[in-house]
Amino acid sequence: MVLLGDEERALRDSVRSFLDKVVAPEVGDHERARTFPWELLPQLYDFGYVRGGVPEALGGDELPMMMQAILMEEAGRCWGSLRTTVNVQGMVARTLAAAASEDQRARFLQPLLAGSRFGWFGLTEPGAGSDAGALRTTARASGDGYLVNGSKLYITNALGCDFGILFARVVDHDGTDHGVSALLVDAAESEFGVHDIPHMPLRSTTSCELSFHDTYVPAANVLGALGGGLSLGMKAVNAGRLNMAMGAVGLSQACLEASIAFCRQREQFGKPIAAFQLVQQMVVEIATLTETSRLLGYNAARAVDAGEPGRYECSMAKYYCGESAGRAATLALQVHGGAGLMEESPVERYFRDAREATIPEGTSQIQILHLGKALLGHSALR
């Protein structure tokens, strides 16, 4: 087992206790209804969710990355939809903290940290997922603002949010292309289309397509420098990769706990299936995948806390932990047999949610390309 310090262990235990007592009993109902308890989020902020990556001077908790990793692991152990929701809100908070003006902090960051406003992160497009530099959404200067045209795809929880960070190519009055920039789109002042796309995993979240047709965004809502959007987005995505990895570790841990409990109570041929060696083999593999994933995730967090960029470590953790969660969920489903196929079984949800761990924040294949470049000095990516 990975050794944790006293403060880290205390944080893990307190968060796990809260999630087990307050959130876990409601998960089944929300999954069936495809709803999410937004009112619970401010209570989670007190543990460091969302606020953990924001400096204290701006109203955040400024937690070490290791503690943020623990928080995401526990969220993943409890509920995939919770993990992805706090991950996105954390990405929005980090990006605002890094680049927002004083006015933007007052209008967007402070309400977000208080739990009175929620935000979406609009990077992916129909033709630009892994290749973020290929964005086609444009924001052309018009009067004292910009007219946005284009679309975004797979934007988590855009239906439940008040504003978002939109990444678009900004074009000046004279036709100058400033490159990818970040804009704050407030639903109260800018009209755009939001359409939920039914999806397999994370049923208590929405995965939305956003459409912009001459959508007006004030110039005061440009986040950071013109042309600096891609850098801002990639920094947020790197932290998001570690959050995804740790959420996957939590999901693997949940698979392990469910499998152990089931093996001890399920009987076949007159004895608990825990006595059968082939069943033991599957449970041991789940345990090994979980522990090795945890080691890689914690190593990435420690690297960031030591002042390293952590891109290599976060990519490796994202790749391995995501793939391992898929394997752990498959094994857990096999351990449960027919019972695992039923929607009333948590492993049915784990199996669906595990597939998500290998795609957002860079697919497993993209992580391999990043790692290959780091190791060999060559890349297929431009």
Side-chain angles (χ1 to χ4, degrees), residues 17-234:
S17 176
F18 179 86
L19 293 176
D20 284 349
K21 292 178 181 178
V22 177
V23 180
E26 308 297 325
V27 170
D29 289 341
H30 283 294
E31 284 279 313
R32 284 185 287 273
R34 294 181 180 254
T35 56
F36 185 81
W38 289 94
E39 68 280 0
L40 273 179
L41 284 191
Q43 298 179 57
L44 292 174
Y45 293 178
D46 291 338
F47 293 101
Y49 286 104
V50 180
R51 295 201 298 239
V54 176
E56 290 182 356
L58 299 180
D61 294 329
E62 201 169 345
L63 294 178
M65 187 59 74
M66 182 63 189
M67 285 193 169
Q68 295 179 56
I70 291 169
L71 289 173
M72 297 307 295
E73 179 181 356
E74 292 305 315
R77 173 182 172 273
C78 176
W79 189 15
S81 291
L82 173 66
R83 191 275 310 155
T84 199
T85 298
V86 291
N87 180 32
V88 172
Q89 297 309 304
M91 291 171 68
V92 172
R94 283 175 178 274
T95 307
L96 286 169
S101 65
E102 187 173 345
D103 170 67
Q104 291 169 348
R105 290 171 188 167
R107 290 190 292 135
F108 300 103
L109 179 59
Q110 299 310 321
L112 175 65
L113 298 181
S116 59
R117 301 195 79 183
F118 304 106
W120 45 263
F121 195 83
L123 186 61
T124 303
E125 295 184 359
S130 298
D131 187 5
L135 298 183
R136 293 185 177 181
T137 298
T138 60
R140 295 185 176 274
S142 177
D144 59 352
Y146 298 91
L147 295 180
V148 178
N149 285 277
S151 62
K152 295 291 177 179
L153 195 60
Y154 312 135
I155 307 304
T156 301
N157 284 337
L159 273 177
C161 296
D162 311 280
F163 71 94
I165 299 177
L166 175 73
F167 295 87
R169 308 194 73 88
V170 168
V171 181
D172 217 335
H173 291 90
D174 62 3
T176 301
D177 186 342
H178 291 283
V180 177
S181 305
L183 304 173
L184 289 163
V185 179
D186 191 334
E189 61 187 9
S190 299
E191 294 186 4
F192 58 95
V194 184
H195 171 66
D196 183 27
I197 306 171
H199 52 288
M200 178 186 71
L202 308 175
R203 288 183 175 173
S204 287
T205 66
T206 58
S207 183
C208 301
E209 180 178 12
L210 310 183
S211 55
F212 303 89
H213 302 285
D214 285 340
T215 298
Y216 177 75
V217 177
N221 285 14
V222 173
L223 181 62
L226 290 177
L230 202 55
S231 176
L232 278 176
M234 290 303 97

